[in-house]
Amino acid sequence: MTELDISHIRLGERPLIVCDVDDVVLRFIDPFQLFLQSLGHEFLPRSFRLHGNIVSKADGTEIEGRQVSRLIEDFFEAQELWQTPVDRVVETLGRLSQVADILFLTAMPPRFQDQRRRLLDSAGLLFPLLASEQPKGPIVHALHASRSFPVAFIDDMAHNLHSVREYMADCLLIHLMPDSPVHRFAPAAADDITRATDWAHAAEVIEAHFLSGTVNRTVPAA
């Protein structure tokens, strides 16, 4: 596996927020379903995965795995035509950027990074971007382990949050994902990881963490 090059990332003398992109910063599952429909396919939310859940609208035949992988890549190729920012993310990250560095860490083949960079820039989300399919824990560790400032990590996937926790015990971990039929099948994050309801809630948790210097992982009451 090729080591991810992070040498171009320059962090300031202040806290760091590392943030996933798909279904955290940019909508993914809803526009992906529209993309599939435009090609005569349909996504059936039967489990928290794409493979095995995409069928032909014409006859209900399941799309085989290699074709699903190609569809995902085709979507990433055309993402600028389909994906849009989630609610309140632009203004919230803009406010947080006044007190912290922000870095996007997207789980996507690196060859689609240019398309994602243009899409984020067009939305006013100008923060640095890393695209990698490698585990996120070692990446966040490489970025921040030698720094003494607070760090927060936001993702919609429990396994990414658990990966970062394994390498960065003091990192504030926030589970943020949309309320969609497919996300209701998502594996739960560990009980000591904060589940944020939206970006306003995530910002409150991050700001409290940065002010206190301690990790706030209390799960809020429903």
Side-chain angles (χ1 to χ4, degrees):
M1 182 180 295
T2 303
E3 184 176 352
L4 180 65
D5 181 15
I6 62 171
S7 61
H8 60 290
I9 301 297
R10 297 287 182 267
L11 301 177
E13 297 296 307
R14 58 185 192 156
L16 172 65
I17 300 170
V18 181
C19 188
D20 180 39
V21 176
D22 285 310
D23 272 337
V24 174
V25 170
L26 298 175
R27 293 182 178 87
F28 174 82
I29 193 63
D30 288 344
F32 184 63
Q33 291 183 80
L34 293 174
F35 170 77
L36 292 174
Q37 291 170 15
S38 74
L39 299 174
H41 305 311
E42 183 179 9
F43 175 72
L44 302 179
R46 301 179 292 198
S47 65
F48 191 59
R49 58 197 307 268
L50 300 178
H51 289 78
N53 288 329
I54 298 175
V55 302
S56 167
K57 290 175 66 176
D59 58 13
T61 303
E62 182 178 308
I63 306 301
E64 59 92 18
R66 283 178 296 180
Q67 186 177 352
V68 171
S69 296
R70 287 195 296 271
L71 286 168
I72 296 170
E73 292 187 351
D74 289 345
F75 179 75
F76 282 141
E77 181 72 40
Q79 61 186 280
E80 295 166 86
L81 302 176
W82 297 94
Q83 291 186 267
T84 57
V86 304
D87 293 342
R88 302 183 68 174
V89 67
V90 175
E91 55 266 42
T92 302
L93 288 182
R95 188 178 81 246
L96 289 171
S97 70
Q98 298 175 25
V99 297
D101 285 344
I102 295 172
L103 172 71
F104 293 133
L105 177 55
T106 187
M108 183 183 68
R111 62 184 178 277
F112 300 114
Q113 179 163 318
D114 288 347
Q115 292 92 324
R116 176 132 296 174
R117 179 72 274 167
R118 290 193 299 266
L119 176 53
L120 291 168
D121 287 352
S122 70
L125 294 161
L126 307 177
F127 310 108
L129 170 69
L130 290 174
S132 174
E133 296 179 288
Q134 299 178 26
K136 293 190 176 183
I139 298 174
V140 176
H141 183 268
L143 287 163
H144 191 76
S146 63
R147 291 159 43 87
S148 59
F149 301 94
V151 58
F153 175 74
I154 310 168
D155 207 291
D156 67 321
M157 299 284 196
H159 71 271
N160 290 327
L161 293 156
H162 297 161
S163 174
V164 171
R165 183 174 60 174
E166 180 181 353
Y167 285 84
M168 299 289 294
D170 293 332
C171 181
L172 171 66
L173 303 171
I174 298 179
H175 195 195
L176 178 62
M177 63 181 182
D179 181 15
S180 75
V182 66
H183 280 86
R184 292 167 195 166
F185 291 99
D191 290 342
D192 59 348
I193 293 175
T194 298
R195 171 74 168 94
T197 54
D198 54 24
W199 266 104
H201 182 199
E204 290 177 6
V205 175
I206 291 170
E207 289 166 337
H209 173 67
F210 287 172
L211 285 174
S212 67
T214 60
V215 177
N216 176 5
R217 291 177 179 158
T218 303
V219 179

